[in-house]
Amino acid sequence: MLGAALGTPFVARAQAEWPQRPVRWVVAFAAGGAADTAARSAAAKAQEIIGQSIVIENRTGGNAVIAAQAVLQSPPDGYSFLVDAANQLTNPLLMRDLGFDYRTAFAPVTQIASFPQVIAVKHDFPAKTIAEFIAMAKAAPNTISYGTPPAAGMAHLAGELFQRLAGIRLVHAPYRGGADAARDIAAGVLDAVLITTSSIRPPVQAGRARVLAVTSPQRTAAFPDVPTLAESGFPGYDMNDWNGLFASSAVPQAIVLKMSAAVAEACRDPATRARMDPLGAEMVGSTPEGFATWMEAQRPVVARVVRDAGITLG
């Protein structure tokens, strides 16, 4: 009892003084992509707020499992966090023998950014609207190709949900990244793509692709004249890509709350938003509770799409 009594003030004091050294964010994605760029932008401001450097460490591979394991194998002292995305929801459905349960191993800290996605077609594709696209697909099932990055990613899930709701079947082509899919739509190799606004921008600006619809519930500033799928006959459709910050569930809640508050402030920072607006990213900065609630609402949607479409990592 004496040890417990002596230990409690010490732990409380240590949490109150956090952080006393640089904090590591392990990013599950390659440097230079939208998720990585959003994380770096938020971290640049958040480190000013917490008074210690935030060091970005990109650990790719294993469908984001390598990064997750790196954080779980670190001491749960608030000096290692994970930047992850929909893998938190899809990996438990697609991978066996993970060795940990995402739902209980990680605590949501904050959603960093949301990345609206678009359905776009090559520049000479006949359809000019999403209604015309659907009509063409219904007239010739399994003939229109569309690319997404990667297999089982949010773009793939968004495409499968769109097909199910529209009653059409397309030919899916998975890509390693959005830039690869954008290159092939520009070259006319693909009929269509479902990728983020930032990835589609270069071929659109070059006149090699046209955007028909966006997957976010509201129109995006990147393409303000393009309707949402929700406006186009699919009410409630909302399948943006996203990324977020996670901690080991053993990290003290006081530290989680401090980091969440710092990132939320960073996401509201005008300079941070100015860096991310041209990429089409919408900075979020939710509370841990808000992020957790949002993820719980996403779980059944994602599970249903994976099940109904028979999505696998193979």
Side-chain angles (χ1 to χ4, degrees):
M1 293 296 294
L2 179 61
L6 291 175
T8 300
F10 175 80
V11 171
R13 185 170 65 253
Q15 293 177 21
E17 294 171 355
W18 176 93
Q20 298 177 336
R21 53 186 169 84
V23 177
R24 180 179 66 148
W25 284 13
V26 181
V27 179
F29 314 103
D36 172 75
T37 302
R40 290 176 184 271
S41 295
K45 182 63 178 179
Q47 66 184 2
E48 298 177 10
I49 298 167
I50 66 173
Q52 285 286 350
S53 297
I54 295 177
V55 180
I56 301 294
E57 179 182 322
N58 298 92
R59 296 285 295 272
T60 61
N63 211 48
V65 172
I66 290 176
Q69 290 174 330
V71 172
L72 293 179
Q73 291 167 1
S74 301
D77 53 7
Y79 290 93
S80 292
F81 290 82
L82 173 68
V83 177
D84 204 351
N87 307 95
Q88 292 269 333
L89 306 177
T90 58
N91 278 354
L93 304 170
L94 300 169
M95 304 179 73
R96 296 182 179 180
D97 303 321
L98 280 169
F100 61 91
D101 182 347
Y102 275 96
R103 205 168 189 171
T104 57
F106 288 101
V109 178
T110 185
Q111 185 178 354
I112 298 172
S114 178
F115 307 100
Q117 303 181 105
V118 302
I119 296 176
V121 295
K122 60 184 179 180
H123 73 100
D124 57 354
F125 193 79
K128 299 297 190 294
T129 66
I130 201 68
E132 292 177 0
F133 181 91
I134 293 170
M136 287 184 61
K138 286 185 175 180
N142 293 306
T143 59
I144 297 174
S145 62
Y146 86 107
T148 72
M154 280 303 292
H156 186 187
L157 269 61
E160 291 293 342
L161 179 60
F162 167 61
Q163 291 178 79
R164 181 169 64 83
L165 294 175
I168 60 176
R169 290 311 306 167
L170 309 174
V171 180
H172 180 238
Y175 284 78
R176 292 185 61 186
D180 298 323
R183 178 198 64 228
D184 275 3
I185 195 79
V189 174
L190 291 167
D191 296 315
V193 289
L194 206 161
I195 54 181
T196 62
T197 55
S198 59
S199 295
I200 196 60
R201 187 183 295 273
V204 168
Q205 291 177 334
R208 304 298 299 174
R210 290 181 287 107
V211 179
L212 301 184
V214 297
T215 67
S216 51
Q218 295 85 32
R219 295 193 182 194
T220 173
F223 298 102
D225 298 327
V226 176
T228 66
L229 282 174
E231 291 178 272
S232 305
F234 306 98
Y237 189 100
D238 179 8
M239 286 291 279
N240 283 356
D241 204 353
W242 57 275
N243 73 338
L245 191 67
F246 298 84
S248 162
S249 57
V251 171
Q253 182 69 2
I255 292 176
V256 169
L257 291 172
K258 284 187 178 181
M259 179 59 85
S260 179
V263 178
E265 184 176 340
C267 288
R268 293 190 298 267
D269 178 61
T272 303
R273 290 181 177 270
R275 283 194 297 269
M276 297 309 300
D277 282 348
L279 298 179
E282 300 175 355
M283 304 304 287
V284 180
S286 51
T287 64
E289 295 80 10
F291 190 22
T293 298
W294 179 83
M295 285 187 65
E296 287 305 308
Q298 288 285 301
R299 287 186 195 279
V301 177
V302 168
R304 185 167 60 249
V305 174
V306 169
R307 181 188 65 244
D308 291 351
I311 292 175
T312 66
L313 290 175

